[in-house]
Amino acid sequence: MPRAIQITAFGGPEQLKLVELPVGEPGPGEIRIRHHASGLNFIDVYNRTGLYQNPLPLVLGGEGAGVVEAVGEGVTHLKAGDRAAYASNAPGSYSEARVMPAKHVVKLPDAIGFDTGAAMMLKGLTAQYLLKRVRPVEGLEAGDFVLFHAAAGGVGLIACQWAKALGLQLIGTAGSAAKCELAQAHGAAHVIDYSKEDFVARVKAITGGKGVKVVYDSVGKDTWEGSLGCLRPFGLMASFGNASGPVPPFAPGILGAKGSLYVTRQTLFTHIATREATQQMADDLFAVVAQGDVKIRIDQRYPLTEVAQAHRDLEARKTTGSTILTM
Ligand SMILES: NC(=O)c1ccc[n+]([C@@H]2O[C@H](COP(=O)([O-])OP(=O)(O)OC[C@H]3O[C@@H](n4cnc5c(N)ncnc54)[C@H](OP(=O)(O)O)[C@@H]3O)[C@@H](O)[C@H]2O)c1
């Protein structure tokens, strides 16, 4: 039987248990995929701790790549034998094989290996929608300043490169000098070590006192207030994560006081709700990777059985770029 990593209770990395689970036949609208690799994402931590609640027992993992073994009724865009990859809000990629909704799965171009496929889908599609589908009211054009927190992370390094390709001046924050160097080497126009520097003051200095049009904030609690202070009037706060903890409730009056700001809380899963949107966004991602504008860095690889260590390292901010679990 295929091996998988399952939790039966919310909690720390010790809850991640290796099990063997039967994998049945795909039903209507489903496929069965045999994974070559699974991607590690911070959402897996939220799903493990119970910050995001899913029914238990739960096989974690929202990103993977492998070979389609069987397709269910009504699935026309995939067939047995296809190389494929996905990001999905139906967890289960921490497994050697699984059944899952076909609408989240796309064919993997021949030029992209399985490891890269597993490292790029959830993070790359997130960078795609953040930069292409989340727009400030005054628009976003080449030359504009944006602020991107955790710029040396998985989503961060993809966003740095893609923003540069779009001509944006991305100001990246990261938690060490080495991480800042990495973000800069991947296209960040400016970098700020927010473990040492006042990022609000630095953003003001870099932008000549004006502030940025968009802040992409996945750090959450620790950066929320400072991020609002980095925006120019009518700027957009695009909150999309809580690596430091969830953003506490706030009074909307602060948005007026800081310059008639806009706030949105985004999730990839609204953007990839349909097969058509998923394919369109994936095609855009595959194109920037094929052109060489975005390179997918896999800085950490762990065997599936070492997943608890992978979680510890991710939460301890020891990782950079993408991380995969190998089968
Ligand atoms: N809403 C969505 O659609 C969506 C989709 C994908 C990802 N996300 C979010 O985007 C973020 C990045 O995801 P990822 O998987 O690529 O992870 P990641 O960026 O590789 O890792 C998270 C990074 O957050 C930073 N961080 C700041 N405060 C932290 C803290 N207290 N504890 C741990 N890390 C902290 C760390 O970088 P520094 O040391 O440089 O600060 C850390 O490396 C996550 O918050 C994730 O939930 C959201």
Side-chain angles (χ1 to χ4, degrees):
M1 272 197 288
R3 298 181 307 167
I5 301 293
Q6 190 183 58
I7 59 165
T8 51
F10 298 121
E14 73 286 351
Q15 295 296 339
L16 299 160
K17 301 274 167 50
L18 183 67
V19 292
E20 290 189 356
L21 293 175
V23 178
E25 293 303 314
E30 292 182 332
I31 61 145
R32 188 173 72 232
I33 185 167
R34 185 152 296 268
H35 292 130
H36 283 235
S38 168
L40 182 78
N41 291 279
F42 220 92
I43 192 173
D44 306 344
V45 173
Y46 311 141
N47 286 332
R48 192 203 71 217
T49 61
L51 178 66
Y52 295 175
Q53 293 272 320
N54 283 284
L56 298 175
L58 178 69
V59 176
L60 294 179
E63 188 179 39
V67 175
V68 177
E69 284 189 335
V71 304
E73 193 191 318
V75 177
T76 53
H77 69 287
L78 293 167
K79 60 180 187 318
D82 280 347
R83 302 170 74 256
Y86 66 87
S88 177
N89 56 343
S93 71
Y94 289 9
S95 63
E96 289 173 331
R98 69 175 297 195
V99 166
M100 64 174 300
K103 69 175 183 177
H104 295 149
V105 186
V106 295
K107 276 189 197 170
L108 189 62
D110 289 342
I112 300 179
F114 289 118
D115 287 4
T116 303
M120 69 188 277
M121 295 302 293
L122 201 149
K123 300 162 193 77
L125 294 177
T126 298
Q128 200 278 349
Y129 85 73
L130 287 172
L131 294 170
K132 298 277 197 78
R133 297 165 68 109
V134 176
R135 314 298 291 178
V137 282
E138 295 191 326
L140 199 55
E141 288 154 28
D144 284 340
F145 283 107
V146 297
L147 176 64
F148 204 104
H149 289 305
V155 178
L157 283 185
I158 297 173
C160 286
Q161 299 173 75
W162 208 329
K164 184 176 181 189
L166 294 170
L168 298 171
Q169 300 204 64
L170 181 146
I171 304 171
T173 61
S176 71
K179 286 184 178 185
C180 282
E181 265 175 44
L182 195 60
Q184 196 145 34
H186 286 78
H190 301 269
V191 283
I192 304 171
D193 178 350
Y194 57 4
S195 71
K196 294 202 174 62
E197 301 172 81
D198 174 349
F199 73 84
V200 184
R202 280 287 317 281
V203 166
K204 283 285 162 62
I206 291 165
T207 59
K210 290 191 175 132
V212 299
K213 271 192 175 173
V214 189
V215 178
Y216 304 98
D217 190 332
S218 66
V219 173
K221 181 169 69 64
D222 289 355
T223 45
W224 171 258
E225 207 174 316
S227 293
L228 294 179
C230 292
L231 285 162
R232 66 184 228 180
F234 306 110
L236 176 63
M237 170 69 161
S239 169
F240 70 105
N242 359 255
S244 67
V247 175
F250 68 96
I254 185 91
L255 304 176
K258 292 206 179 270
S260 302
L261 303 179
Y262 291 79
V263 172
T264 181
R265 175 58 162 91
Q266 293 280 315
T267 172
L268 169 65
F269 305 120
T270 323
H271 293 271
I272 60 169
T274 65
R275 143 111 192 98
E276 291 70 28
T278 306
Q279 188 66 56
Q280 191 187 45
M281 290 167 64
D283 288 344
D284 198 20
L285 173 63
F286 293 147
V288 286
V289 170
Q291 285 152 17
D293 287 340
V294 172
K295 294 189 175 61
I296 306 298
R297 273 183 71 107
I298 303 174
D299 285 343
Q300 301 77 214
R301 293 167 194 264
Y302 303 81
L304 182 66
T305 49
E306 300 296 318
V307 64
Q309 190 56 45
H311 273 231
R312 283 187 201 101
D313 291 348
L314 183 63
E315 287 178 275
R317 306 164 83 156
K318 286 184 182 163
T319 66
T320 53
S322 293
T323 301
I324 61 163
L325 305 173
T326 53
M327 300 301 151

Coordinates of all heavy atoms in Angstrom, one line a residue, residues 22-99:
P22 N -4.8 2.6 1.8 CA -5.2 2.2 0.5 C -5.6 3.4 -0.4 O -6.1 4.4 0.1 CB -6.5 1.3 0.8 CG -6.9 1.8 2.2 CD -5.7 2.3 2.9
V23 N -5.4 3.2 -1.7 CA -5.8 4.3 -2.6 C -6.8 3.6 -3.6 O -6.4 2.7 -4.3 CB -4.6 4.9 -3.3 CG1 -5.1 6.0 -4.3 CG2 -3.7 5.6 -2.3
G24 N -8.0 4.1 -3.6 CA -9.0 3.5 -4.5 C -9.0 4.0 -5.9 O -8.0 4.6 -6.4
E25 N -10.1 3.8 -6.6 CA -10.2 4.2 -8.0 C -10.8 5.6 -8.0 O -11.6 6.0 -7.1 CB -11.2 3.3 -8.7 CG -10.6 1.9 -9.0 CD -9.3 1.9 -9.7 OE1 -9.1 2.6 -10.7 OE2 -8.3 1.2 -9.2
P26 N -10.4 6.5 -9.0 CA -10.9 7.8 -9.0 C -12.4 7.8 -9.4 O -12.8 7.1 -10.3 CB -10.1 8.5 -10.1 CG -9.5 7.4 -10.9 CD -9.4 6.2 -10.0
G27 N -13.2 8.7 -8.7 CA -14.6 8.8 -9.0 C -14.8 9.9 -10.1 O -13.8 10.4 -10.7
P28 N -16.0 10.3 -10.4 CA -16.3 11.3 -11.4 C -15.5 12.6 -11.1 O -15.5 13.0 -10.0 CB -17.8 11.5 -11.3 CG -18.3 10.3 -10.7 CD -17.3 9.7 -9.8
G29 N -14.8 13.1 -12.1 CA -14.1 14.4 -11.9 C -12.8 14.2 -11.1 O -12.2 15.2 -10.7
E30 N -12.4 13.0 -10.9 CA -11.1 12.8 -10.1 C -10.1 12.0 -10.9 O -10.4 11.4 -11.9 CB -11.5 11.9 -8.8 CG -12.3 12.6 -7.8 CD -12.6 11.7 -6.6 OE1 -12.6 10.5 -6.7 OE2 -12.8 12.3 -5.5
I31 N -8.8 12.1 -10.4 CA -7.8 11.3 -11.0 C -7.0 10.6 -9.9 O -7.1 11.0 -8.7 CB -6.7 12.1 -11.8 CG1 -6.1 13.2 -10.8 CG2 -7.3 12.8 -13.0 CD1 -4.6 13.4 -11.2
R32 N -6.3 9.5 -10.2 CA -5.3 9.0 -9.3 C -3.9 9.3 -9.8 O -3.6 9.1 -11.0 CB -5.5 7.5 -9.1 CG -4.6 6.9 -8.0 CD -4.9 5.4 -7.7 NE -4.4 4.6 -8.8 CZ -5.1 3.7 -9.4 NH1 -6.4 3.5 -9.1 NH2 -4.6 2.9 -10.4
I33 N -3.1 9.9 -8.9 CA -1.7 10.3 -9.3 C -0.7 9.5 -8.5 O -1.0 9.4 -7.2 CB -1.6 11.8 -9.3 CG1 -0.2 12.3 -9.8 CG2 -1.8 12.4 -7.9 CD1 -0.1 13.8 -10.0
R34 N 0.4 9.1 -9.1 CA 1.5 8.6 -8.3 C 2.6 9.7 -8.2 O 3.1 10.1 -9.2 CB 2.1 7.3 -9.0 CG 3.2 6.6 -8.2 CD 3.2 5.1 -8.4 NE 2.1 4.4 -8.0 CZ 1.9 3.9 -6.8 NH1 2.8 3.9 -5.8 NH2 0.7 3.2 -6.5
H35 N 2.8 10.1 -7.0 CA 3.7 11.3 -6.8 C 5.2 10.9 -7.0 O 5.7 9.8 -6.6 CB 3.6 11.8 -5.4 CG 2.3 12.5 -5.2 ND1 1.5 12.2 -4.1 CD2 1.6 13.4 -5.9 CE1 0.4 12.9 -4.1 NE2 0.4 13.7 -5.2
H36 N 6.0 11.8 -7.7 CA 7.4 11.7 -7.7 C 8.0 12.6 -6.6 O 9.0 12.3 -6.0 CB 8.0 12.1 -9.0 CG 7.8 11.0 -10.0 ND1 8.9 10.5 -10.7 CD2 6.7 10.3 -10.4 CE1 8.5 9.5 -11.6 NE2 7.2 9.4 -11.4
A37 N 7.3 13.7 -6.3 CA 7.7 14.6 -5.2 C 6.5 15.4 -4.8 O 5.5 15.6 -5.5 CB 8.8 15.5 -5.8
S38 N 6.6 15.9 -3.5 CA 5.6 16.8 -3.0 C 6.2 18.1 -2.5 O 7.4 18.1 -2.1 CB 4.9 16.0 -1.8 OG 4.1 16.9 -1.0
G39 N 5.5 19.2 -2.7 CA 6.1 20.4 -2.2 C 5.7 20.7 -0.8 O 4.7 20.2 -0.3
L40 N 6.6 21.4 -0.1 CA 6.3 21.8 1.3 C 5.9 23.3 1.3 O 6.6 24.1 0.6 CB 7.6 21.6 2.1 CG 7.5 22.0 3.6 CD1 6.8 20.8 4.4 CD2 8.9 22.2 4.2
N41 N 4.9 23.6 2.0 CA 4.4 25.0 2.1 C 4.0 25.3 3.5 O 3.6 24.5 4.3 CB 3.1 25.1 1.2 CG 3.5 25.0 -0.3 OD1 4.0 26.0 -0.9 ND2 3.3 23.8 -0.9
F42 N 4.0 26.6 3.7 CA 3.7 27.1 5.1 C 2.2 26.8 5.5 O 1.9 26.6 6.6 CB 4.0 28.6 5.3 CG 4.6 28.9 6.6 CD1 5.9 28.9 6.8 CD2 3.7 29.1 7.7 CE1 6.5 29.1 8.1 CE2 4.3 29.3 9.0 CZ 5.7 29.3 9.1
I43 N 1.3 26.7 4.5 CA 0.0 26.3 4.8 C -0.1 24.9 5.4 O -1.0 24.6 6.2 CB -0.9 26.4 3.5 CG1 -2.4 26.3 3.9 CG2 -0.6 25.3 2.5 CD1 -3.4 26.5 2.7
D44 N 0.9 24.1 5.1 CA 0.9 22.7 5.7 C 1.1 22.9 7.3 O 0.6 22.0 8.0 CB 2.1 21.9 5.2 CG 2.0 21.8 3.7 OD1 1.0 22.1 3.0 OD2 3.1 21.4 3.1
V45 N 1.8 23.9 7.7 CA 2.0 24.1 9.1 C 0.6 24.6 9.7 O 0.2 24.1 10.8 CB 3.1 25.2 9.4 CG1 3.1 25.6 10.8 CG2 4.4 24.7 8.9
Y46 N -0.1 25.5 9.0 CA -1.4 25.9 9.5 C -2.3 24.7 9.6 O -3.1 24.6 10.6 CB -2.0 27.0 8.6 CG -1.1 28.2 8.3 CD1 -1.2 28.7 7.0 CD2 -0.3 28.8 9.2 CE1 -0.5 29.8 6.6 CE2 0.5 29.9 8.8 CZ 0.4 30.4 7.5 OH 1.2 31.4 7.1
N47 N -2.3 23.9 8.6 CA -3.2 22.7 8.6 C -2.8 21.7 9.7 O -3.6 21.0 10.3 CB -3.1 22.0 7.3 CG -3.9 22.7 6.2 OD1 -4.8 23.5 6.5 ND2 -3.5 22.6 4.9
R48 N -1.5 21.6 10.0 CA -1.0 20.7 11.1 C -1.4 21.2 12.5 O -1.8 20.5 13.3 CB 0.5 20.6 11.0 CG 1.1 19.4 11.8 CD 2.6 19.7 12.1 NE 2.7 20.8 13.0 CZ 3.7 21.8 13.0 NH1 4.6 21.7 12.1 NH2 3.7 22.7 13.9
T49 N -1.2 22.5 12.7 CA -1.5 23.1 14.0 C -3.0 23.2 14.3 O -3.4 23.4 15.4 CB -0.9 24.5 14.2 OG1 -1.4 25.4 13.2 CG2 0.7 24.4 14.1
G50 N -3.8 23.3 13.2 CA -5.2 23.5 13.4 C -5.6 25.0 13.2 O -6.8 25.3 13.4
L51 N -4.6 25.9 12.9 CA -5.0 27.3 12.6 C -6.0 27.3 11.5 O -7.0 28.0 11.5 CB -3.7 28.1 12.3 CG -4.0 29.5 11.9 CD1 -4.5 30.3 13.1 CD2 -2.7 30.2 11.3
Y52 N -5.8 26.4 10.5 CA -6.8 26.2 9.5 C -7.4 24.8 9.8 O -6.6 23.8 9.9 CB -6.2 26.2 8.1 CG -5.6 27.5 7.6 CD1 -4.9 27.5 6.4 CD2 -5.7 28.7 8.3 CE1 -4.4 28.7 5.9 CE2 -5.1 29.8 7.9 CZ -4.5 29.9 6.7 OH -3.9 31.0 6.2
Q53 N -8.7 24.8 10.0 CA -9.3 23.5 10.4 C -9.8 22.7 9.3 O -10.5 23.1 8.4 CB -10.5 23.9 11.3 CG -10.2 24.6 12.6 CD -9.9 23.6 13.7 OE1 -10.6 22.6 13.8 NE2 -8.9 23.9 14.5
N54 N -9.3 21.4 9.2 CA -9.8 20.4 8.3 C -10.2 19.2 9.1 O -9.7 18.9 10.2 CB -8.6 20.0 7.4 CG -8.3 21.0 6.3 OD1 -9.0 21.1 5.3 ND2 -7.2 21.7 6.5
P55 N -11.1 18.4 8.5 CA -11.5 17.2 9.2 C -10.3 16.2 9.4 O -9.4 16.1 8.5 CB -12.5 16.5 8.3 CG -12.9 17.6 7.3 CD -11.8 18.6 7.2
L56 N -10.3 15.5 10.5 CA -9.2 14.6 10.8 C -9.8 13.1 10.7 O -10.9 13.0 10.8 CB -8.7 14.8 12.2 CG -8.0 16.1 12.5 CD1 -7.7 16.3 14.0 CD2 -6.8 16.4 11.6
P57 N -8.9 12.1 10.4 CA -7.5 12.2 10.1 C -7.3 12.9 8.8 O -8.1 12.9 7.9 CB -7.1 10.8 10.1 CG -8.3 10.0 9.7 CD -9.5 10.8 10.3
L58 N -6.0 13.5 8.6 CA -5.7 14.3 7.4 C -4.3 13.9 6.9 O -3.4 14.0 7.7 CB -5.8 15.7 7.8 CG -5.5 16.8 6.8 CD1 -6.5 16.8 5.7 CD2 -5.3 18.2 7.4
V59 N -4.3 13.6 5.6 CA -2.9 13.5 5.0 C -2.7 14.9 4.5 O -3.4 15.5 3.7 CB -3.0 12.5 3.8 CG1 -1.6 12.5 3.1 CG2 -3.3 11.1 4.3
L60 N -1.5 15.5 4.9 CA -1.2 16.9 4.6 C -0.6 17.0 3.2 O -0.3 16.0 2.5 CB -0.2 17.5 5.6 CG -0.7 17.6 7.0 CD1 0.5 18.2 7.9 CD2 -1.9 18.5 7.1
G61 N -0.5 18.3 2.7 CA 0.3 18.6 1.5 C -0.7 19.0 0.4 O -1.6 18.3 0.0
G62 N -0.4 20.2 -0.2 CA -1.2 20.8 -1.2 C -0.5 21.0 -2.5 O -1.1 21.7 -3.4
E63 N 0.6 20.3 -2.7 CA 1.4 20.6 -4.0 C 2.1 19.3 -4.3 O 2.8 18.7 -3.5 CB 2.4 21.7 -3.7 CG 3.2 22.3 -4.8 CD 4.1 23.4 -4.4 OE1 4.7 23.3 -3.3 OE2 4.2 24.4 -5.1
G64 N 2.1 18.9 -5.6 CA 2.8 17.7 -5.9 C 3.0 17.6 -7.4 O 2.4 18.3 -8.2
A65 N 3.8 16.6 -7.8 CA 4.0 16.3 -9.2 C 4.2 14.8 -9.4 O 4.8 14.1 -8.5 CB 5.2 17.0 -9.8
G66 N 3.7 14.2 -10.5 CA 3.9 12.8 -10.7 C 3.3 12.3 -12.0 O 3.1 13.1 -12.9
V67 N 2.8 11.1 -12.0 CA 2.3 10.5 -13.2 C 0.8 10.1 -12.9 O 0.5 9.4 -11.9 CB 3.1 9.3 -13.7 CG1 2.4 8.6 -14.9 CG2 4.5 9.7 -14.0
V68 N -0.1 10.5 -13.8 CA -1.5 10.1 -13.7 C -1.6 8.6 -13.9 O -1.1 8.1 -14.9 CB -2.3 10.9 -14.7 CG1 -3.8 10.4 -14.7 CG2 -2.2 12.4 -14.5
E69 N -2.3 7.9 -13.0 CA -2.4 6.5 -13.2 C -3.8 6.1 -13.7 O -4.0 5.1 -14.4 CB -2.3 5.8 -11.8 CG -0.8 5.7 -11.4 CD -0.7 4.8 -10.1 OE1 -1.6 4.7 -9.3 OE2 0.4 4.3 -9.9
A70 N -4.8 6.9 -13.4 CA -6.2 6.6 -13.8 C -7.0 7.8 -13.7 O -6.7 8.7 -12.9 CB -6.8 5.5 -12.9
V71 N -8.0 8.0 -14.6 CA -8.9 9.1 -14.6 C -10.3 8.7 -14.4 O -10.7 7.6 -15.0 CB -8.7 10.0 -15.8 CG1 -7.3 10.5 -16.0 CG2 -9.3 9.4 -17.1
G72 N -11.1 9.4 -13.7 CA -12.5 9.1 -13.5 C -13.4 9.7 -14.6 O -12.9 10.4 -15.5
E73 N -14.7 9.3 -14.5 CA -15.6 9.8 -15.5 C -15.6 11.3 -15.7 O -15.6 12.0 -14.7 CB -17.0 9.3 -15.0 CG -18.1 9.3 -15.9 CD -19.5 9.1 -15.2 OE1 -19.5 8.2 -14.3 OE2 -20.4 9.9 -15.5
G74 N -15.7 11.7 -16.9 CA -15.8 13.2 -17.2 C -14.5 13.9 -17.2 O -14.5 15.1 -17.5
V75 N -13.4 13.2 -17.0 CA -12.1 13.9 -17.0 C -11.5 13.8 -18.4 O -11.3 12.7 -18.9 CB -11.1 13.3 -16.0 CG1 -9.7 14.0 -16.1 CG2 -11.7 13.5 -14.6
T76 N -11.4 14.9 -19.1 CA -10.9 14.9 -20.5 C -9.6 15.5 -20.7 O -9.0 15.3 -21.8 CB -12.0 15.6 -21.4 OG1 -12.1 16.9 -20.9 CG2 -13.3 14.9 -21.4
H77 N -9.1 16.3 -19.8 CA -7.8 17.0 -20.0 C -6.6 16.2 -19.6 O -5.5 16.6 -19.8 CB -7.8 18.4 -19.3 CG -7.8 18.4 -17.8 ND1 -8.8 18.0 -17.1 CD2 -6.8 18.7 -17.0 CE1 -8.5 18.1 -15.8 NE2 -7.3 18.5 -15.7
L78 N -6.8 15.1 -19.0 CA -5.7 14.2 -18.5 C -6.0 12.8 -18.9 O -7.2 12.4 -19.0 CB -5.5 14.3 -17.0 CG -5.1 15.7 -16.5 CD1 -5.3 15.7 -14.9 CD2 -3.6 15.9 -16.8
K79 N -4.9 12.0 -19.0 CA -5.1 10.5 -19.2 C -4.0 9.7 -18.5 O -3.0 10.3 -18.2 CB -5.2 10.2 -20.7 CG -3.9 10.5 -21.5 CD -4.0 10.2 -22.9 CE -2.6 10.3 -23.7 NZ -1.9 11.5 -23.3
A80 N -4.2 8.5 -18.3 CA -3.2 7.6 -17.7 C -1.9 7.8 -18.4 O -1.9 7.8 -19.6 CB -3.7 6.2 -17.6
G81 N -0.8 8.0 -17.6 CA 0.5 8.1 -18.2 C 1.0 9.5 -18.4 O 2.2 9.8 -18.6
D82 N 0.1 10.5 -18.2 CA 0.5 11.9 -18.4 C 1.3 12.3 -17.2 O 1.1 12.0 -16.0 CB -0.8 12.8 -18.4 CG -1.4 12.9 -19.7 OD1 -0.8 12.4 -20.7 OD2 -2.6 13.4 -19.8
R83 N 2.4 13.1 -17.5 CA 3.1 13.8 -16.4 C 2.3 15.0 -16.0 O 1.7 15.7 -16.8 CB 4.5 14.3 -16.9 CG 5.3 13.2 -17.5 CD 6.6 13.7 -18.2 NE 7.6 14.3 -17.3 CZ 7.8 15.5 -17.0 NH1 7.1 16.5 -17.6 NH2 8.7 15.9 -16.1
A84 N 2.1 15.2 -14.7 CA 1.2 16.2 -14.2 C 1.7 16.8 -12.9 O 2.6 16.3 -12.2 CB -0.2 15.6 -13.9
A85 N 1.1 18.0 -12.6 CA 1.5 18.7 -11.3 C 0.3 19.5 -10.9 O -0.6 19.8 -11.7 CB 2.7 19.6 -11.5
Y86 N 0.3 19.9 -9.6 CA -0.9 20.6 -9.1 C -0.6 21.4 -7.8 O 0.4 21.1 -7.1 CB -2.0 19.6 -8.8 CG -1.7 18.6 -7.7 CD1 -2.0 18.9 -6.3 CD2 -1.1 17.4 -7.9 CE1 -1.7 18.1 -5.3 CE2 -0.9 16.5 -6.9 CZ -1.1 16.8 -5.6 OH -0.8 16.0 -4.6
A87 N -1.5 22.4 -7.6 CA -1.7 23.0 -6.3 C -3.1 22.7 -6.0 O -4.0 22.9 -6.8 CB -1.4 24.5 -6.3
S88 N -3.4 22.4 -4.7 CA -4.8 22.0 -4.4 C -5.1 22.3 -2.9 O -4.3 22.2 -2.1 CB -5.1 20.5 -4.7 OG -6.4 20.2 -4.3
N89 N -6.4 22.7 -2.7 CA -6.8 22.9 -1.3 C -7.5 21.6 -0.8 O -8.1 21.6 0.3 CB -7.8 24.1 -1.1 CG -9.0 24.0 -2.0 OD1 -9.0 23.2 -3.0 ND2 -10.0 24.8 -1.7
A90 N -7.3 20.5 -1.6 CA -7.7 19.2 -1.1 C -6.4 18.5 -0.6 O -5.7 18.0 -1.5 CB -8.4 18.4 -2.2
P91 N -6.0 18.6 0.6 CA -4.7 18.2 1.0 C -4.5 16.7 0.7 O -5.5 15.9 0.6 CB -4.7 18.4 2.6 CG -5.7 19.4 2.8 CD -6.8 19.2 1.8
G92 N -3.2 16.2 0.7 CA -3.0 14.8 0.4 C -1.7 14.5 -0.4 O -1.4 13.4 -0.7
S93 N -0.9 15.6 -0.6 CA 0.3 15.3 -1.5 C 1.4 14.7 -0.7 O 2.4 14.3 -1.3 CB 0.8 16.6 -2.1 OG 1.3 17.5 -1.2
Y94 N 1.3 14.6 0.6 CA 2.4 13.9 1.4 C 2.1 12.4 1.3 O 1.8 11.8 2.3 CB 2.4 14.3 2.9 CG 2.8 15.7 3.3 CD1 3.1 16.7 2.4 CD2 3.0 16.0 4.7 CE1 3.5 17.9 2.8 CE2 3.4 17.2 5.1 CZ 3.7 18.2 4.1 OH 4.1 19.5 4.6
S95 N 2.2 11.9 0.1 CA 1.8 10.5 -0.1 C 2.4 10.0 -1.4 O 2.7 10.8 -2.3 CB 0.3 10.3 -0.2 OG -0.2 11.0 -1.3
E96 N 2.6 8.7 -1.4 CA 3.2 8.1 -2.7 C 2.1 8.1 -3.8 O 2.5 8.2 -5.0 CB 3.7 6.7 -2.4 CG 4.9 6.7 -1.5 CD 5.4 5.4 -1.1 OE1 4.6 4.5 -1.0 OE2 6.6 5.2 -0.9
A97 N 0.9 8.0 -3.4 CA -0.2 8.0 -4.4 C -1.5 8.5 -3.8 O -1.7 8.3 -2.6 CB -0.4 6.7 -5.1
R98 N -2.4 9.1 -4.6 CA -3.6 9.6 -4.0 C -4.7 9.7 -5.1 O -4.3 9.8 -6.3 CB -3.4 11.0 -3.4 CG -3.1 12.1 -4.4 CD -3.0 13.4 -3.8 NE -4.3 13.9 -3.2 CZ -4.6 15.2 -2.9 NH1 -3.6 16.1 -3.1 NH2 -5.7 15.5 -2.3
V99 N -5.9 9.9 -4.7 CA -7.0 10.3 -5.6 C -7.4 11.7 -5.2 O -7.3 12.1 -4.1 CB -8.2 9.3 -5.4 CG1 -9.5 9.9 -6.0 CG2 -7.9 7.9 -5.9

